[in-house]
Amino acid sequence: MDSWLPISAKSHFSLANIPFGIISTSAASQPRVAVAIGDYALDLDCLARHQGFSQCTALEQAHLDIFSDASLNRFASLGRALHRDVRQYIQSLLRVDTPFPALLRDNSELRNKALILSQQITNHLPMTIGDYTDFFAGRNHAQTVGALFRGPDNALNPNYNHLPVAYHGRASSVVVSGTPLHRPKGQVMPPGAPAPVFKPCSRLDIELELGMFIARPNELGQPIAVDDADDYIFGYVLMNDWSARDIQAWEYVPLGPFNAKNFGTTISPWVVLADATEPFKTTGLPNDTNLQQYLKESNKENIVDFNLEVALCTEDGDSTVITRTSSKNLLWSWPQMIAHHTISGCNLRTGDLLGSGTISGLEERTQGSLLEQTRGGKSPIKLHGGHERIFVNDNDTIVMTGYAGTTKSGLVGFGECRGKILPCV
Amino acid sequence: MDSWLPISAKSHFSLANIPFGIISTSAASQPRVAVAIGDYALDLDCLARHQGFSQCTALEQAHLDIFSDASLNRFASLGRALHRDVRQYIQSLLRVDTPFPALLRDNSELRNKALILSQQITNHLPMTIGDYTDFFAGRNHAQTVGALFRGPDNALNPNYNHLPVAYHGRASSVVVSGTPLHRPKGQVMPPGAPAPVFKPCSRLDIELELGMFIARPNELGQPIAVDDADDYIFGYVLMNDWSARDIQAWEYVPLGPFNAKNFGTTISPWVVLADATEPFKTTGLPNDTNLQQYLKESNKENIVDFNLEVALCTEDGDSTVITRTSSKNLLWSWPQMIAHHTISGCNLRTGDLLGSGTISGLEERTQGSLLEQTRGGKSPIKLHGGHERIFVNDNDTIVMTGYAGTTKSGLVGFGECRGKILPCV
């Protein structure tokens, strides 16, 4: 599938992708809906205002104002079938053999208005997030971190292979890629000290995760069956669940992490729709546990195979890839996470964000957190330019990237999830 | 301070209170803002449309449409000074010696329209809740439950007296008083069993808490100083943080409670404004820990003295008060909770809900959870009508009530926080 628009084979935003996001520009500061394509954002609000959707039978004219919204929530709530149709329609407009050449390809005035170079756009949070739930589905991460804290024989807690462990995260501080965050301060208990001290976090870590947005709600008291759960998935982003390990170690007993995580979570700006990832579904980590019925899936290939990478960029411009891994390192699928989240009767809402948990391999430089890579902060990792790191320094920038597919068929990727740590306020 | 409206001395909604909520009626189904007064709701949207606020200098005419909102968020965001002025203005309208008799007291047509008998209204959730955070500030509860799990010598974790422990809760399933909830199902690990089982929760518990709503936001990265925190408080509600103890015991390691709590949290409908509670501030439980500077308050009397009660009503109509206690059983004040929550840089938003944690005394029938009252589920409590309970049965209704003040000066109370448990779906 080729486009009349020149798209580099290395672009994450091939014609096979068409991820949705919220943009603004200096010329038009009102946030609105767009899709990413090659080096451009295609402004769907502009397209809709200029009859670009006139041949899109799926989308009634009454719905076209969804593209002037400042979030994707209304679009998401219209359901998987509509997302599929609208994405295919946009692909049809951009195909070299588009059936509707007059609408965009041969309409230079609209092309100039609606196709905006990505350098000229500002990305905003794609969704208004209701609740944010973070799972712990990366078993290698759980295993390695558990071994650091409790020894290899007790690394995984007894519940781990029976249910997708999760906790409620902080929604207010989820920020879009490019938003800098200040290093948090907090209480820390130094080893052997008689009392805690108050200081800037000195073990500031990253967590490489996938994020998933919920499309449609369920009623309170009505669990979602695991085989129906795919219908509730809008799409995916990359996520950096920043973690203050020293604050976490002191505060987390008995109710879990709180201030160690709530100072910020960074997500990539473009939501890769669930339909775009269908060709890349595979199996995750094996689980030989006899699962409860509500977690048993008919479809055994329910993990999307994303190649993931983390780079650390120092203040003086040296960039080093510190992690290369794959989302196949997840034990639980999104449908299993949804089924478990709602089995109590808990209701999900359009725009809720679910995190996968840290995605790690077991080998060196495949691990999604520095805690794992530095063996609990004991072995520094070496970076280009002669730098070393145990945890994140002030003015370091973390760039996460990820994609599925091949350059031949077109990459289906996220672009960047980028965040810089500024010194304490 | 007497009203021209007859108000029973036992009413929680005296002229000294004036709590705000969201109501609708069968005649007017659009949710809108009201205050509770005696046996009535005073419909502020109706009042505003009929010039009832014409002498309220604090409220510009441009702002009057806030009373037609379906939540109190915009009103809350206007700040403490305005809340105080509007509350005093409403009191002035209702006083027997009102300076503006023509506006309401002597305007029978408007009285008939704007004063609605409480039996005729439907209460809605008062705020659109962004994030919900539950603290653990009731030290007697932490002590008693900790002793049950870890023995009396290790009852409190080492961090307990140093910081207000908290976790992120589930906002989507916070419901208003009167909303029934279904008993959740989930995974439970029976003692000694080789594997977990899936079943209806059989240890369904209550938690008596106060809830607090945030008025104004802080910027991400900008902590709120403890002595400034009062300004961020909109007001208070009663809260029942329903808890599935058997599900909790199996799932909560290592990230805290999840499905054990996310099936529902019930709050009372009327928000008692912070200003209404100023006369009732006192000290909470003593803490001889040398606190970090960010938790040290200039004002040592920062706990509101609410008398609290829990009744259990069986299906056949027997009602027994099972708990009588006081919010003086809190170790941490709301300003300390706010200061701790934001010390990491975490941002709060208008409408965020903070829970106090379970409020318990140490004596029999002063404890805010059944787990404590039944000594971990071992000793049934006796109810009227010959009933016994260890935990909540299907079709039981829990009614929490609470008030400050005296019948002489006028009670400042919440009304009811009521919830019935229906059988599993």
Side-chain angles (χ1 to χ4, degrees):
Chain A
M1 194 158 59
D2 283 328
S3 174
W4 47 261
L5 195 71
I7 300 172
S8 151
K10 288 181 181 170
S11 173
H12 282 191
F13 307 133
S14 74
L15 200 52
N17 192 351
I18 312 291
F20 281 64
I22 299 294
I23 65 157
S24 65
T25 54
S26 56
S29 62
Q30 186 68 29
R32 55 201 186 271
V33 176
V35 295
I37 179 76
D39 293 332
Y40 295 87
L42 175 60
D43 179 339
L44 298 191
D45 183 41
C46 177
L47 190 68
R49 287 173 198 276
H50 294 81
Q51 286 69 54
F53 283 95
S54 55
Q55 301 299 316
C56 182
T57 48
L59 208 57
E60 294 172 39
Q61 296 301 307
H63 279 146
L64 283 178
D65 68 337
I66 54 175
F67 296 131
S68 64
D69 283 2
S71 83
L72 299 174
N73 290 51
R74 268 209 300 161
F75 176 65
S77 72
L78 296 177
R80 281 285 297 265
L82 185 122
H83 309 156
R84 182 167 47 243
D85 288 346
V86 171
R87 177 169 158 271
Q88 285 175 357
Y89 176 79
I90 294 169
Q91 287 174 325
S92 80
L93 286 184
L94 292 166
R95 265 177 16 218
V96 69
D97 57 344
T98 173
F100 317 115
L103 292 186
L104 187 64
R105 189 190 71 186
D106 301 343
N107 180 343
S108 63
E109 194 185 333
L110 182 55
R111 270 199 338 257
N112 289 337
K113 272 188 193 159
L115 281 167
I116 308 167
L117 269 173
S118 50
Q119 295 94 309
Q120 292 169 1
I121 64 167
T122 300
N123 280 110
H124 301 267
L125 266 190
M127 308 285 280
T128 300
I129 301 168
D131 281 287
Y132 156 42
T133 302
D134 203 16
F135 282 83
F136 193 48
R139 188 173 58 192
N140 296 329
H141 169 76
Q143 174 88 38
T144 302
V145 171
L148 282 171
F149 291 146
R150 293 180 295 273
D153 294 341
N154 300 302
L156 291 182
N157 282 296
N159 57 19
Y160 191 84
N161 289 310
H162 290 277
L163 56 83
V165 170
Y167 73 101
H168 303 295
R170 180 78 193 174
S172 70
S173 55
V174 177
V175 298
V176 74
S177 176
T179 310
L181 293 169
H182 288 280
R183 177 179 299 273
K185 291 183 193 167
Q187 285 194 30
V188 171
M189 179 60 99
V197 296
F198 178 69
K199 59 189 273 296
C201 165
S202 57
R203 292 164 69 93
L204 183 52
D205 201 356
I206 60 170
E207 293 195 338
L208 168 65
E209 305 197 17
L210 286 174
M212 183 271 279
F213 280 111
I214 292 292
R216 49 182 282 219
N218 65 306
E219 289 290 321
L220 186 62
Q222 304 293 332
I224 299 170
V226 67
D227 284 340
D228 296 339
D230 241 349
D231 241 20
Y232 291 77
I233 299 177
F234 179 51
Y236 306 99
V237 291
L238 280 176
M239 180 187 291
N240 184 355
D241 183 30
W242 302 94
S243 299
R245 300 297 182 197
D246 41 1
I247 294 171
Q248 187 175 353
W250 171 235
E251 74 171 2
Y252 91 106
V253 177
L255 299 180
F258 181 59
N259 279 353
K261 304 267 194 177
N262 68 13
F263 61 96
T265 305
T266 307
I267 63 171
S268 57
W270 297 104
V271 181
V272 174
L273 297 195
D275 283 302
T277 67
E278 286 295 337
F280 313 110
K281 280 191 171 174
T282 180
T283 53
L285 297 176
N287 190 354
D288 58 10
T289 306
N290 183 22
L291 295 181
Q292 300 294 336
Q293 194 61 39
Y294 79 93
L295 291 171
K296 283 185 183 161
E297 298 174 279
S298 304
N299 177 2
K300 304 294 179 202
E301 300 200 337
N302 242 344
I303 302 269
V304 180
D305 183 7
F306 285 113
N307 304 291
L308 303 169
E309 222 175 79
V310 182
L312 190 156
C313 311
T314 64
E315 195 172 6
D316 51 15
D318 288 309
S319 177
T320 310
V321 174
I322 59 172
T323 306
R324 280 194 180 88
T325 186
S326 153
S327 51
K328 287 190 285 188
N329 286 306
L330 291 171
L331 180 66
W332 301 100
S333 72
W334 295 111
Q336 287 175 315
M337 293 188 240
I338 290 173
H340 182 67
H341 200 318
T342 62
I343 192 65
S344 63
C346 182
N347 56 328
L348 305 179
R349 296 179 293 189
T350 298
D352 283 350
L353 176 62
L354 276 63
S356 63
T358 310
I359 299 172
S360 293
L362 288 169
E363 301 78 38
E364 276 201 1
R365 296 284 172 116
T366 66
Q367 295 158 320
S369 75
L370 291 167
L371 187 68
E372 292 161 88
Q373 294 209 13
T374 65
R375 298 185 175 82
K378 292 196 178 70
S379 317
I381 56 169
K382 298 207 181 303
L383 307 179
H384 297 155
H387 299 282
E388 285 190 346
R389 286 292 182 278
I390 294 185
F391 289 102
V392 179
N393 283 8
D394 284 351
N395 300 308
D396 283 351
T397 298
I398 298 293
V399 181
M400 296 178 170
T401 52
Y403 66 89
T406 63
T407 52
K408 191 160 177 224
S409 61
L411 299 183
V412 174
F414 297 105
E416 285 187 347
C417 174
R418 170 185 288 264
K420 182 174 181 174
I421 292 297
L422 302 177
C424 275
V425 177
Chain B
M1 192 159 57
D2 281 327
S3 175
W4 46 261
L5 195 71
I7 301 173
S8 151
K10 289 182 180 168
S11 174
H12 282 193
F13 307 133
S14 74
L15 201 51
N17 192 351
I18 313 292
F20 282 64
I22 299 293
I23 65 157
S24 66
T25 54
S26 55
S29 62
Q30 186 68 30
R32 55 201 186 271
V33 177
V35 295
I37 180 74
D39 293 332
Y40 294 87
L42 175 60
D43 179 339
L44 299 190
D45 183 40
C46 177
L47 191 67
R49 287 173 197 276
H50 294 82
Q51 286 68 55
F53 283 96
S54 55
Q55 301 299 316
C56 182
T57 49
L59 209 56
E60 295 172 40
Q61 295 304 304
H63 279 146
L64 282 179
D65 68 338
I66 55 175
F67 296 131
S68 64
D69 284 2
S71 84
L72 299 174
N73 290 50
R74 268 209 301 162
F75 176 65
S77 72
L78 295 177
R80 282 285 296 265
L82 185 123
H83 308 155
R84 182 166 46 241
D85 289 346
V86 171
R87 177 169 157 271
Q88 285 175 357
Y89 177 79
I90 294 168
Q91 286 174 325
S92 80
L93 287 184
L94 292 166
R95 269 184 5 224
V96 70
D97 57 344
T98 172
F100 317 115
L103 292 186
L104 187 62
R105 190 191 69 186
D106 301 343
N107 180 342
S108 63
E109 195 184 332
L110 182 55
R111 269 196 343 254
N112 289 338
K113 272 189 193 159
L115 282 166
I116 308 167
L117 269 173
S118 51
Q119 296 94 310
Q120 292 169 2
I121 64 167
T122 300
N123 280 109
H124 301 266
L125 265 191
M127 308 285 281
T128 300
I129 301 167
D131 282 286
Y132 156 41
T133 302
D134 203 15
F135 282 84
F136 193 47
R139 189 172 58 192
N140 296 329
H141 169 76
Q143 175 87 39
T144 303
V145 171
L148 283 171
F149 291 146
R150 292 180 296 272
D153 294 341
N154 300 302
L156 291 182
N157 282 295
N159 57 20
Y160 191 85
N161 289 311
H162 290 278
L163 56 83
V165 170
Y167 74 101
H168 303 295
R170 181 78 194 174
S172 70
S173 55
V174 176
V175 298
V176 74
S177 177
T179 310
L181 293 169
H182 289 280
R183 178 179 299 273
K185 292 182 192 166
Q187 286 194 30
V188 170
M189 179 60 99
V197 297
F198 178 70
K199 60 189 271 299
C201 165
S202 57
R203 291 164 71 93
L204 183 52
D205 201 357
I206 60 169
E207 293 195 339
L208 168 64
E209 304 198 18
L210 286 174
M212 183 270 279
F213 280 111
I214 292 292
R216 50 182 280 221
N218 64 307
E219 289 290 321
L220 185 63
Q222 304 292 334
I224 299 170
V226 68
D227 283 340
D228 296 338
D230 241 348
D231 241 20
Y232 291 77
I233 298 176
F234 179 51
Y236 307 99
V237 290
L238 280 176
M239 180 186 292
N240 185 355
D241 183 31
W242 302 94
S243 299
R245 300 297 181 197
D246 41 1
I247 295 171
Q248 187 175 354
W250 171 235
E251 74 171 2
Y252 90 106
V253 177
L255 298 180
F258 182 59
N259 279 354
K261 304 266 193 177
N262 68 12
F263 61 95
T265 305
T266 307
I267 63 171
S268 57
W270 297 103
V271 180
V272 174
L273 297 196
D275 283 303
T277 68
E278 287 294 337
F280 313 111
K281 279 191 170 175
T282 182
T283 53
L285 297 176
N287 190 354
D288 57 11
T289 306
N290 183 21
L291 294 181
Q292 300 294 335
Q293 195 60 40
Y294 79 93
L295 291 171
K296 283 185 183 160
E297 298 173 280
S298 304
N299 178 2
K300 304 294 177 204
E301 300 199 337
N302 244 343
I303 302 268
V304 180
D305 183 7
F306 285 111
N307 303 290
L308 304 169
E309 221 174 80
V310 182
L312 190 155
C313 311
T314 64
E315 195 172 6
D316 50 15
D318 288 309
S319 177
T320 310
V321 174
I322 59 172
T323 306
R324 281 194 180 88
T325 186
S326 153
S327 52
K328 287 190 285 187
N329 287 306
L330 291 171
L331 180 66
W332 302 101
S333 72
W334 295 111
Q336 288 174 315
M337 294 188 240
I338 289 173
H340 182 68
H341 200 317
T342 62
I343 192 65
S344 63
C346 182
N347 56 328
L348 304 179
R349 295 179 294 189
T350 298
D352 283 350
L353 176 63
L354 276 63
S356 64
T358 310
I359 299 173
S360 293
L362 288 170
E363 300 79 38
E364 276 200 2
R365 297 282 172 118
T366 67
Q367 296 159 318
S369 74
L370 291 168
L371 187 67
E372 292 161 88
Q373 295 209 12
T374 64
R375 298 186 175 82
K378 292 195 178 71
S379 318
I381 56 168
K382 298 205 181 304
L383 307 179
H384 296 154
H387 300 281
E388 286 191 346
R389 286 292 181 278
I390 294 185
F391 289 102
V392 179
N393 283 8
D394 284 351
N395 300 309
D396 282 351
T397 298
I398 299 293
V399 182
M400 296 177 170
T401 52
Y403 66 89
T406 62
T407 51
K408 190 158 176 226
S409 62
L411 299 184
V412 174
F414 298 104
E416 285 187 347
C417 174
R418 170 184 289 264
K420 182 175 182 174
I421 292 296
L422 303 178
C424 274
V425 177

